[in-house]
Amino acid sequence: MASLLLRLASHVLYAYTGPPASPKSSNPDLSGIFATTASPAHALEQLLKKSGGTWPPSPTFDSSWPAPLRVYHATYELVAPIFPVLESSTSGAENRQTIDAMRARIRGLLSGDPTFDAAQCSADMKAVLSVLQDAEAGCWSGYNNQSMQSAMLGFCACVCFLRHAYRWGVSPVVREAQIETSLSFPLELDEPWLLLQRYFGFTSPGGGLSTCLYFNTRGVDTNFKPFYSSVHGLPQLHQKTADWDARLFLETEHRSLPMYRLIAETISACSSFAGECPLDALTSLKEANTVFQDTYRFFFENMKDENISHALWLAYLQGYTGWALPGADGVVVNGVSGGILPVPPAAEEALHLPVAQRDWLRSLREYDIRAKVQSAIERCADAPESTVAESWQGMQDELQKMVQKLRLWRMGHMSRMISYEGVHRPERVFMTAGRSIPPEGEVSDETGMVQHLRGVLQERLIQTV
């Protein structure tokens, strides 16, 4: 389970690669070190602006959309009750029939096929595309920028659900869908998606944490209950598992927003001074550390079987949000997270993260505060006033505390995820979050898959220094 919080911590902390060579001086000038052209504070402001004014985002749903878009919600209402099943079939022939029937239903509903007697689902594609193109131009009549942005977030979540339902045909996902290597979507799902990709700035054909969860929330007042549910109509334990799965991601981000602001404030304060570390910067960083600790405590205190069933999570949530089909420009899409390596390849990051999120993370990566602080310490080493170096050493100490917290996070993540990923599901091919289906012959059973996952997580832990 990965979130923007982990990515942020990674980019703040991983960008540091050791002290750069820098001259020492008895009268050090630090202005060049801490100057910045990419303002994290501005990038964070833009992230909020493009998320409906809040973080996590504030989507609104069907009643807030222009009429041509509401057919997608109407389609969801007819598809959602029949998408999940309590008992999975292990018969390839039976599953093939189920998948094909679901795809025919979605195509028929959106195309207005009279066989389905659901005129409320028929998409007027000319009107749909006109509405979405107007959104790109920022000119929805009767909407301000924030209300239009919120409506687009919710609409994206709806189309995302329908694309996943079409992709898998049934949930829990089954081998018959997993082993497919290509799939043609109806134009009613493809053409809006292309515009949504362009509008939000991501490339994945399946979406990611943003489109599956961040854009699909009813907000803090409902504990971030998902609006579009992949467990519609299933028993209470399924509902609770889905609700807590979403809540862990979304409330973690909600609790992290003060930390994001404090880190931006820390950088702004550092950038304003040329000598001793400003007290405001050190104070903000200490407060950010406290928020980080409280946030990861919330995450791990609630990531437990009592809230998120081991047996049900992998079957109904990890599988549904996977993809494992050739994606944009031939990139194979391996699930929703796209990995949280220290500096993921730009193409991989663009698959899953909208541009506003990438810009925020990029501003932190480019600023590279750990390297700047270390460089300040190096330059101040021979300064007559030793308190100058000591003040920057205080910043370095706080950053190192964040590294240790991230290490603890990763160790906890590794130990908890193993039990969730190791559940046996006979109807499916072995698949893990963030990687989906491994190459043929690489993993033979769940134990092998767990060992692979453990190795990946251990590698990330080693990198966290």
Side-chain angles (χ1 to χ4, degrees):
M1 292 181 176
S3 67
L4 194 62
L5 169 62
L6 272 184
R7 287 182 179 273
L8 177 141
S10 296
H11 294 322
V12 169
L13 303 174
Y14 278 132
Y16 175 72
T17 57
S22 57
K24 297 179 180 179
S25 169
S26 59
N27 185 25
D29 177 10
L30 306 183
S31 58
I33 294 176
F34 289 98
T36 179
T37 55
S39 165
H42 176 72
L44 181 57
E45 178 186 340
Q46 291 301 304
L47 174 63
L48 296 174
K49 181 178 179 181
K50 295 180 180 180
S51 302
T54 66
W55 187 260
S58 306
T60 56
F61 299 100
D62 55 309
S63 62
S64 74
W65 305 344
L69 305 186
R70 297 176 193 171
V71 299
Y72 288 86
H73 178 81
T75 302
Y76 160 81
E77 291 186 315
L78 296 182
V79 167
I82 60 174
F83 176 56
V85 295
L86 269 177
E87 298 293 335
S88 296
S89 172
T90 56
S91 165
E94 182 178 341
N95 285 330
R96 182 76 266 161
Q97 188 176 36
T98 300
I99 293 165
D100 291 346
M102 174 61 79
R103 291 175 181 172
R105 176 178 291 272
I106 294 174
R107 282 196 308 271
L109 290 170
L110 289 172
S111 67
D113 186 336
T115 303
F116 295 97
D117 191 26
Q120 75 274 19
C121 299
S122 179
D124 179 343
M125 288 309 298
K126 183 177 180 180
V128 167
L129 297 179
S130 177
V131 167
L132 297 179
Q133 288 162 356
D134 287 346
E136 287 190 292
C139 56
W140 273 6
S141 177
Y143 292 75
N144 60 30
N145 184 70
Q146 183 171 317
S147 61
M148 184 186 74
Q149 189 75 22
S150 292
M152 285 289 285
L153 290 164
F155 177 67
C156 186
C158 183
V159 179
C160 181
F161 174 91
L162 292 175
R163 285 180 67 84
H164 278 79
Y166 193 93
R167 161 71 185 103
W168 295 120
V170 65
S171 180
V173 305
V174 295
R175 176 184 172 83
E176 279 299 302
Q178 287 179 296
I179 62 176
E180 292 176 326
T181 58
S182 63
L183 177 62
S184 296
F185 285 81
L187 62 87
E188 291 86 359
L189 291 179
D190 255 354
E191 293 191 6
W193 194 250
L194 290 172
L195 282 164
L196 289 165
Q197 286 176 318
R198 195 163 66 216
Y199 183 84
F200 290 108
F202 64 89
T203 60
S204 171
L209 280 179
S210 293
T211 54
C212 291
L213 289 177
Y214 293 178
F215 296 2
N216 187 32
T217 174
R218 297 183 180 186
V220 65
D221 293 340
T222 63
N223 290 324
F224 300 102
K225 184 179 179 68
F227 190 82
Y228 293 108
S229 174
S230 61
V231 292
H232 188 287
L234 295 185
Q236 180 60 33
L237 184 57
H238 295 67
Q239 303 290 334
K240 183 179 182 180
T241 294
D243 290 352
W244 263 106
D245 178 66
R247 182 178 177 182
L248 279 190
F249 281 107
L250 293 162
E251 189 163 335
T252 293
E253 295 298 334
H254 176 70
R255 289 168 175 260
S256 297
L257 181 57
M259 184 186 79
Y260 300 165
R261 294 187 188 280
L262 287 163
I263 288 174
E265 290 172 10
T266 299
I267 291 172
S268 295
C270 287
S271 301
S272 305
F273 284 73
E276 187 169 337
C277 172
L279 181 60
D280 287 352
L282 187 54
T283 299
S284 293
L285 192 57
K286 287 181 176 180
E287 291 177 8
N289 243 324
T290 299
V291 174
F292 190 12
Q293 180 161 329
D294 291 343
T295 299
Y296 83 66
R297 181 183 296 117
F298 161 79
F299 187 94
F300 286 116
E301 284 179 352
N302 290 290
M303 186 183 173
K304 54 188 179 182
D305 190 62
E306 178 184 338
N307 292 331
I308 302 176
S309 164
H310 290 112
L312 298 180
W313 177 81
L314 184 137
Y316 290 92
L317 299 169
Q318 184 252 31
Y320 157 72
T321 53
W323 198 252
L325 277 171
D329 299 322
V331 178
V332 175
V333 182
N334 287 330
V336 300
S337 74
I340 50 172
L341 295 172
V343 183
E348 183 177 323
E349 197 168 56
L351 276 169
H352 306 283
L353 293 184
V355 67
Q357 294 177 38
R358 299 201 307 277
D359 286 347
W360 160 232
L361 296 174
R362 189 182 302 116
S363 72
L364 297 171
R365 185 188 304 141
E366 291 177 355
Y367 191 77
D368 196 353
I369 190 170
R370 288 185 78 193
K372 291 180 185 295
V373 168
Q374 178 63 35
S375 184
I377 293 171
E378 290 281 308
R379 290 197 183 191
C380 293
D382 295 336
E385 297 293 333
S386 61
T387 56
V388 177
E390 289 173 1
S391 67
W392 291 111
Q393 184 63 51
M395 285 283 288
Q396 188 180 64
D397 291 345
E398 285 302 312
L399 289 166
Q400 187 58 34
K401 289 177 184 177
M402 293 189 79
V403 173
Q404 294 306 316
K405 288 181 174 67
L406 184 57
R407 282 185 61 84
L408 288 172
W409 180 296
R410 290 208 182 281
M411 285 189 287
H413 181 238
M414 181 167 62
S415 63
R416 299 288 180 91
M417 282 306 297
I418 296 304
S419 59
Y420 280 96
E421 292 279 1
V423 175
H424 177 60
R425 297 298 305 188
E427 73 278 1
R428 62 186 278 176
V429 177
F430 312 115
M431 181 168 72
T432 184
R435 189 161 182 268
S436 273
I437 302 171
E440 186 175 354
E442 183 176 311
V443 175
S444 60
D445 56 17
E446 283 82 1
T447 300
M449 192 75 258
V450 166
Q451 289 301 112
H452 166 78
L453 177 64
R454 189 190 301 274
V456 170
L457 296 177
Q458 285 176 335
E459 181 181 359
R460 292 177 183 171
L461 181 62
I462 290 169
Q463 292 168 333
T464 311
V465 293

